[in-house]
Coordinates of all heavy atoms in Angstrom, one line a residue:
D1 N 126.9 63.1 107.8 CA 127.6 63.7 106.7 C 129.0 63.0 106.8 O 129.9 63.5 107.5 CB 127.6 65.2 106.8 CG 128.5 65.8 105.7 OD1 129.0 65.2 104.8 OD2 128.7 67.1 105.9
P2 N 129.3 62.2 105.9 CA 130.7 61.6 105.9 C 131.8 62.5 105.7 O 133.1 62.3 106.0 CB 130.6 60.6 104.7 CG 129.1 60.3 104.5 CD 128.5 61.5 104.9
A3 N 131.5 63.6 105.2 CA 132.5 64.6 104.9 C 132.8 65.6 106.1 O 133.7 66.4 106.1 CB 132.1 65.6 103.7
A4 N 132.0 65.5 107.1 CA 132.1 66.3 108.3 C 133.4 65.9 109.1 O 133.9 64.7 108.9 CB 130.9 66.1 109.3
P5 N 134.0 66.9 109.8 CA 135.2 66.5 110.5 C 135.0 65.3 111.6 O 133.9 65.3 112.1 CB 135.6 67.9 111.2 CG 134.7 68.9 110.6 CD 133.5 68.3 110.0
D6 N 136.0 64.6 111.7 CA 135.8 63.4 112.6 C 136.2 63.9 114.1 O 137.3 63.6 114.6 CB 136.7 62.3 112.2 CG 136.6 61.1 113.0 OD1 135.7 61.0 114.0 OD2 137.3 60.1 112.8
D7 N 135.4 64.7 114.7 CA 135.7 65.2 116.0 C 134.6 64.8 116.9 O 134.3 65.5 118.0 CB 135.8 66.7 116.0 CG 134.7 67.5 115.5 OD1 133.6 66.8 115.0 OD2 134.5 68.7 115.6
Y8 N 134.0 63.7 116.7 CA 132.9 63.2 117.6 C 133.2 63.0 119.1 O 132.5 63.5 120.0 CB 132.2 62.0 116.9 CG 131.8 62.3 115.5 CD1 132.5 61.5 114.5 CD2 130.8 63.1 115.2 CE1 132.2 61.7 113.2 CE2 130.4 63.2 113.9 CZ 131.0 62.6 112.9 OH 130.7 62.8 111.5
P9 N 134.3 62.5 119.3 CA 134.7 62.2 120.7 C 134.8 63.6 121.5 O 134.3 63.7 122.6 CB 136.1 61.5 120.7 CG 136.1 60.8 119.3 CD 135.3 61.7 118.4
K10 N 135.3 64.6 120.8 CA 135.5 65.9 121.4 C 134.1 66.5 121.7 O 133.8 67.2 122.7 CB 136.3 66.8 120.5 CG 136.6 68.2 121.1 CD 137.6 68.1 122.1 CE 138.1 69.4 122.6 NZ 138.6 69.3 123.9
R11 N 133.1 66.4 120.8 CA 131.8 66.9 120.8 C 131.0 66.3 121.9 O 130.1 67.0 122.5 CB 131.0 66.7 119.5 CG 131.5 67.4 118.3 CD 130.6 67.2 117.2 NE 131.2 67.5 115.9 CZ 130.6 67.4 114.8 NH1 129.3 67.1 114.7 NH2 131.2 67.7 113.6
I12 N 131.2 65.0 122.3 CA 130.4 64.4 123.3 C 131.2 64.1 124.7 O 130.5 63.7 125.4 CB 129.8 63.1 122.8 CG1 131.1 62.1 122.4 CG2 128.9 63.3 121.6 CD1 130.6 60.8 121.9
E13 N 132.3 64.5 124.8 CA 133.1 64.2 125.9 C 132.6 64.9 127.3 O 132.8 64.4 128.3 CB 134.6 64.5 125.7 CG 134.9 66.1 125.8 CD 136.3 66.4 125.5 OE1 137.2 65.7 125.6 OE2 136.7 67.6 125.3
H14 N 131.8 65.9 127.0 CA 131.2 66.4 128.3 C 130.0 65.7 128.9 O 129.5 66.0 129.9 CB 130.6 67.9 127.9 CG 129.4 67.9 126.9 ND1 129.7 67.7 125.7 CD2 128.1 68.2 127.2 CE1 128.4 67.7 125.1 NE2 127.5 68.0 126.0
L15 N 129.5 64.6 128.2 CA 128.4 63.9 128.7 C 129.0 62.8 129.7 O 129.6 61.7 129.3 CB 127.7 63.2 127.5 CG 127.1 64.2 126.5 CD1 126.7 63.5 125.2 CD2 125.8 64.9 127.1
P16 N 128.7 62.9 130.9 CA 129.2 62.0 132.0 C 128.6 60.6 131.9 O 129.4 59.8 132.5 CB 128.8 62.6 133.3 CG 127.6 63.5 133.0 CD 127.9 64.0 131.6
Q17 N 127.6 60.5 131.3 CA 127.0 59.1 131.1 C 127.9 58.2 130.2 O 127.7 56.9 130.3 CB 125.6 59.1 130.6 CG 124.7 60.0 131.3 CD 124.6 61.4 130.8 OE1 125.6 62.0 130.3 NE2 123.5 62.0 130.8
I18 N 128.8 58.9 129.5 CA 129.5 57.9 128.5 C 130.8 57.6 129.4 O 131.6 58.2 129.8 CB 130.0 58.8 127.2 CG1 128.8 59.2 126.6 CG2 131.0 58.0 126.5 CD1 129.1 60.3 125.4
E19 N 131.0 56.2 129.4 CA 132.1 55.6 130.2 C 133.3 55.4 129.3 O 134.4 55.4 129.7 CB 131.6 54.3 130.9 CG 130.7 54.4 131.9 CD 130.5 53.1 132.7 OE1 130.5 52.0 132.1 OE2 130.0 53.0 133.8
A20 N 133.0 55.0 128.0 CA 134.1 54.7 127.1 C 133.7 55.1 125.7 O 132.5 54.9 125.4 CB 134.5 53.3 127.2
C21 N 134.7 55.5 124.9 CA 134.4 55.8 123.5 C 135.6 55.0 122.6 O 136.7 55.2 122.9 CB 134.6 57.3 123.3 SG 134.5 57.8 121.5
Y22 N 135.1 54.2 121.8 CA 135.9 53.3 121.0 C 135.9 53.7 119.5 O 134.7 53.8 118.9 CB 135.6 51.8 121.1 CG 135.6 51.4 122.6 CD1 134.2 51.2 123.2 CD2 136.7 51.0 123.2 CE1 134.2 50.7 124.5 CE2 136.6 50.4 124.5 CZ 135.4 50.3 125.2 OH 135.2 49.9 126.4
S23 N 137.0 54.1 119.0 CA 137.1 54.3 117.5 C 137.2 52.9 116.8 O 137.9 52.0 117.3 CB 138.2 55.0 117.1 OG 138.3 55.2 115.7
V24 N 136.2 52.5 115.8 CA 136.0 51.2 115.2 C 136.1 51.2 113.8 O 135.8 52.2 113.1 CB 134.8 50.5 115.8 CG1 134.8 50.4 117.4 CG2 133.6 51.3 115.4
A25 N 136.5 50.1 113.3 CA 136.4 49.9 111.9 C 135.0 49.3 111.5 O 134.4 48.7 112.4 CB 137.5 48.8 111.4
G26 N 134.6 49.6 110.3 CA 133.3 49.1 110.0 C 132.3 50.3 109.6 O 132.7 51.3 109.3
E27 N 131.0 50.1 109.5 CA 130.1 50.9 109.2 C 130.0 52.1 110.1 O 129.9 53.2 109.8 CB 128.7 50.3 109.0 CG 127.6 51.2 108.4 CD 126.4 50.4 108.2 OE1 126.4 49.3 107.8 OE2 125.3 51.0 108.5
E28 N 130.1 51.8 111.4 CA 130.0 52.9 112.5 C 131.4 53.4 112.5 O 132.4 52.7 112.2 CB 129.6 52.4 113.8 CG 128.1 51.9 113.9 CD 128.0 50.4 113.6 OE1 129.0 49.7 113.4 OE2 126.8 49.9 113.5
S29 N 131.5 54.7 113.1 CA 132.8 55.4 113.3 C 133.2 55.1 114.8 O 134.4 54.9 115.0 CB 132.7 56.8 113.1 OG 132.4 57.0 111.8
Y30 N 132.3 55.1 115.8 CA 132.6 55.0 117.1 C 131.5 54.2 117.8 O 130.3 54.1 117.4 CB 132.6 56.4 117.9 CG 133.8 57.2 117.4 CD1 133.6 58.2 116.3 CD2 135.0 57.2 118.0 CE1 134.6 58.8 115.8 CE2 136.1 57.9 117.4 CZ 135.9 58.8 116.4 OH 137.0 59.5 116.0
I31 N 131.9 53.5 119.0 CA 130.9 52.7 119.7 C 131.3 53.3 121.2 O 132.3 53.4 121.7 CB 131.1 51.3 119.7 CG1 130.8 50.7 118.2 CG2 130.3 50.6 120.7 CD1 131.0 49.2 118.1
L32 N 130.1 53.7 121.8 CA 130.2 54.2 123.2 C 129.6 53.2 124.2 O 128.7 52.5 123.9 CB 129.4 55.5 123.2 CG 129.4 56.6 122.2 CD1 128.5 57.7 122.4 CD2 130.9 57.1 122.2
R33 N 130.2 53.1 125.3 CA 129.6 52.4 126.3 C 129.1 53.4 127.4 O 129.9 54.3 127.8 CB 130.6 51.4 127.1 CG 129.9 50.5 128.1 CD 130.9 49.6 128.8 NE 131.8 50.5 129.8 CZ 133.1 50.3 129.9 NH1 133.7 49.4 129.2 NH2 133.8 51.2 130.7
V34 N 127.8 53.3 127.7 CA 127.2 54.3 128.6 C 126.4 53.5 129.7 O 126.1 52.3 129.6 CB 126.1 55.2 127.8 CG1 126.8 55.9 126.6 CG2 124.9 54.3 127.3
R35 N 126.3 54.3 130.8 CA 125.5 53.8 131.9 C 124.6 54.9 132.3 O 125.0 56.1 132.6 CB 126.5 53.5 133.0 CG 125.8 52.6 134.1 CD 126.8 52.2 135.1 NE 128.0 51.4 134.7 CZ 127.9 50.0 134.7 NH1 127.0 49.3 135.2 NH2 128.9 49.3 134.3
V36 N 123.3 54.5 132.6 CA 122.3 55.5 132.9 C 121.3 54.9 133.8 O 121.3 53.7 134.1 CB 121.5 56.1 131.6 CG1 122.4 56.9 130.6 CG2 120.8 54.9 130.8
A37 N 120.4 55.8 134.4 CA 119.5 55.4 135.4 C 118.2 54.7 134.9 O 117.6 53.8 135.6 CB 119.1 56.5 136.2
S38 N 117.8 54.9 133.7 CA 116.6 54.3 133.2 C 116.4 54.4 131.6 O 117.3 55.0 131.0 CB 115.5 55.2 133.8 OG 115.4 56.4 133.2
P39 N 115.5 53.7 131.1 CA 115.3 53.8 129.6 C 115.0 55.2 129.2 O 115.5 55.7 128.2 CB 114.0 52.9 129.3 CG 114.1 51.9 130.4 CD 114.7 52.7 131.8
L40 N 114.3 55.9 130.1 CA 114.0 57.4 129.8 C 115.3 58.2 129.7 O 115.6 59.0 128.8 CB 113.1 58.0 130.8 CG 112.6 59.5 130.5 CD1 111.8 59.5 129.2 CD2 111.6 59.8 131.7
A41 N 116.2 58.0 130.7 CA 117.5 58.6 130.6 C 118.3 58.2 129.5 O 119.0 59.0 128.9 CB 118.3 58.2 132.0
L42 N 118.2 57.1 129.0 CA 118.9 56.6 127.8 C 118.4 57.3 126.6 O 119.2 57.8 125.7 CB 118.9 55.1 127.6 CG 119.5 54.6 126.4 CD1 120.9 54.8 126.3 CD2 119.2 53.0 126.3
E43 N 117.1 57.4 126.5 CA 116.5 58.2 125.4 C 116.9 59.5 125.5 O 117.3 60.2 124.2 CB 114.9 58.0 125.5 CG 114.2 58.6 124.4 CD 112.6 58.4 124.5 OE1 112.1 58.4 125.6 OE2 112.0 58.4 123.5

């Protein structure tokens, strides 16, 4: 929902797998760099 508040970093900051959160220009709003143990953990 493009009209929703832009508070995504706050909503996901509790997830320790996220190493970095970048606000970006373009179609996406944010790009995350994550590190996990397996494809299942990524899913």
